[in-house]
Amino acid sequence: MTPRSFAALAFGALGLACQQQTGATSGLSTPTSTTDEGVSTADLTTSGGGSDGSSSGPTTSGTTTSTTSAPSSSSTTLLLDVGSDKDLGGGTPVGCKGKIDFLFVISRDVNMNVVQAQLVDAFPKFITTIESKFEDFDFHVMVVDTDEYWGIPWQCTPVCPDLSCKEGEPCCPYDYNPGTICCPVPDYPCGDLDLVTACDETLGAGVVFPAGKYASNHPCKVDSGLRYLTKGQSSLNDAFACIAQVGTGGWNESGAALAAAVAPEINAPGGCNDGFLRDDALLMVTMVTPSYDDSMTAVEEWYEAVVAAKHGDPGAIVMFLLNDPECPAGNRPCEFAKMFPYHHIADNDDADYGPAFNTAASQVATACAALVPG
């Protein structure tokens, strides 16, 4: 057990003792976790929502840990149910103090267009649920895609060899459906190619100009001038909708993209993600990916990179995966998510991601309260 983990458990026990003396309840209780091959699978019981069995309370990989309710404050509360008034309990976190870095890793797999649209639809309720209940809530929101290449390299080639494009139609050097269509992305931003930077073609860099089929296909308005959204961003929901629609053309290197996004160099001054990760903030990672992963690196390498980014404390991270909650053998993203003490795995085939985000919100509250900043 790391010093931070020990301190977090001791702090939680102290909070429980204080509650017992005063008769107060936090509205959030976490039953004793059990492990299966070192992975916690206990449900996180809440007032107003529940788990599908794929979430876990705070444990450490390879150990079994009993948990207690998170300490609470009387100043503010967090809602569990998105858009509802059911009190989750706990107040302004004494650990992260309302600072949360949200990192979304969104696959560019060919079948992800519906999933991306549903994620965009669920985001406003999720962020409002948390933001409205923390007086000093301070967030960073960054999206990374899963391919180092920007857009479709050949989309703007003005030559159509062996193709019969109608007058006025965009020309492409490759015909997806011979004889029926020339260009698959007629709104592709060929006029803005001069805006593409080296960071747009760097794996793990925040997305601010998605391009391709089903992508936003225009530069997104990010007030900070950085590659992520910050507190005070105007039209936050519209901005997220722009950066989150990364399109469906490219590889699915989800694990490698996540590891690259939290690397020290890319977050250092002058790096593509300059200042995104903060030492005193909770990190919530949302991975939206199919069951396979094209990354050439191992699951253990992804895990080591993310934990190292939070100074060796896996309890400073909430892992939320939209994938397959059954976690069949060979599903590397699922295997990865279950390595974290705070994790929730939901079905990316669900028609509504709201309930899954409800459960994720409860994990954020618990993890924030126990966080010992690095």
Side-chain angles (χ1 to χ4, degrees):
M1 178 178 296
T2 65
R4 289 191 180 88
S5 299
F6 179 83
L9 291 174
F11 189 74
L14 178 61
L16 178 61
C18 291
Q19 290 175 355
Q20 291 173 338
Q21 290 176 1
T22 61
T25 59
S26 67
L28 174 64
S29 60
T30 308
T32 300
S33 301
T34 58
T35 61
D36 178 8
E37 299 180 356
V39 178
S40 170
T41 56
D43 287 349
L44 183 64
T45 304
T46 57
S47 58
S51 165
D52 62 7
S54 57
S55 335
S56 71
T59 66
T60 55
S61 179
T63 63
T64 302
T65 308
S66 297
T67 62
T68 60
S69 299
S72 63
S73 166
S74 59
S75 60
T76 55
T77 58
L78 172 68
L79 293 182
L80 170 60
D81 288 336
V82 171
S84 79
D85 59 356
K86 294 181 180 179
D87 189 357
L88 186 152
T92 301
V94 296
C96 73
K97 300 186 184 301
K99 288 186 178 180
I100 307 175
D101 297 331
F102 296 96
L103 175 57
F104 291 80
V105 182
I106 304 177
S107 173
R108 282 169 58 180
D109 180 77
V110 67
N111 297 312
M112 296 296 289
N113 58 306
V114 173
V115 173
Q116 290 175 23
Q118 290 182 189
L119 178 66
V120 166
D121 183 64
F123 175 80
K125 296 176 183 178
F126 169 67
I127 204 72
T128 298
T129 294
I130 297 180
E131 182 178 29
S132 65
K133 295 304 173 181
F134 287 95
E135 182 178 354
D136 298 319
F137 179 55
D138 181 9
F139 61 85
H140 288 172
V141 177
M142 185 169 72
V143 167
V144 299
D145 65 24
T146 57
D147 194 319
E148 64 182 302
Y149 294 103
W150 178 85
I152 306 174
W154 42 259
Q155 184 75 28
C156 299
T157 303
V159 179
C160 293
D162 302 321
L163 295 179
S164 298
C165 298
K166 296 179 181 178
E167 184 177 355
E169 281 189 330
C171 291
C172 302
Y174 181 75
D175 189 353
Y176 278 103
N177 300 291
T180 61
I181 186 172
C182 180
C183 250
V185 190
D187 61 340
Y188 194 81
C190 291
D192 292 324
L193 297 185
D194 59 328
L195 301 178
V196 179
T197 69
C199 286
D200 290 311
E201 298 181 312
T202 299
L203 187 68
V207 173
V208 293
F209 186 4
K213 192 172 184 179
Y214 297 115
S216 301
N217 285 312
H218 61 81
C220 302
K221 186 179 185 301
V222 180
D223 294 344
S224 64
L226 302 168
R227 303 190 73 86
Y228 52 90
L229 311 177
T230 60
K231 183 177 181 178
Q233 167 72 39
S234 61
S235 304
L236 175 63
N237 296 335
D238 290 340
F240 180 80
C242 183
I243 62 177
Q245 294 182 97
V246 298
T248 58
W251 294 98
N252 178 42
E253 298 182 77
S254 298
L258 171 55
V262 298
E265 299 81 8
I266 203 171
N267 287 278
C272 292
N273 301 338
D274 186 345
F276 170 70
L277 284 177
R278 297 169 291 179
D279 285 344
D280 56 348
L282 182 79
L283 173 62
M284 179 178 177
V285 177
T286 299
M287 294 185 72
V288 187
T289 174
S291 298
Y292 76 95
D293 192 288
D294 292 320
S295 302
M296 299 300 292
T297 48
V299 169
E300 291 77 14
E301 294 178 72
W302 312 345
Y303 177 81
E304 290 170 4
V306 176
V307 172
K310 299 307 294 180
H311 304 285
D313 183 8
I317 303 152
V318 173
M319 187 63 56
F320 176 41
L321 175 65
L322 282 167
N323 188 279
D324 181 354
E326 297 298 323
C327 292
N331 186 326
R332 295 204 293 163
C334 191
E335 177 186 347
F336 169 68
K338 292 172 69 175
M339 297 174 75
F340 291 86
Y342 296 103
H343 71 261
H344 180 57
I345 302 170
D347 197 335
N348 58 13
D349 286 333
D350 286 344
D352 180 8
Y353 295 154
F357 269 118
N358 289 342
T359 304
S362 71
Q363 300 241 348
V364 167
T366 306
C368 264
L371 179 65
V372 179

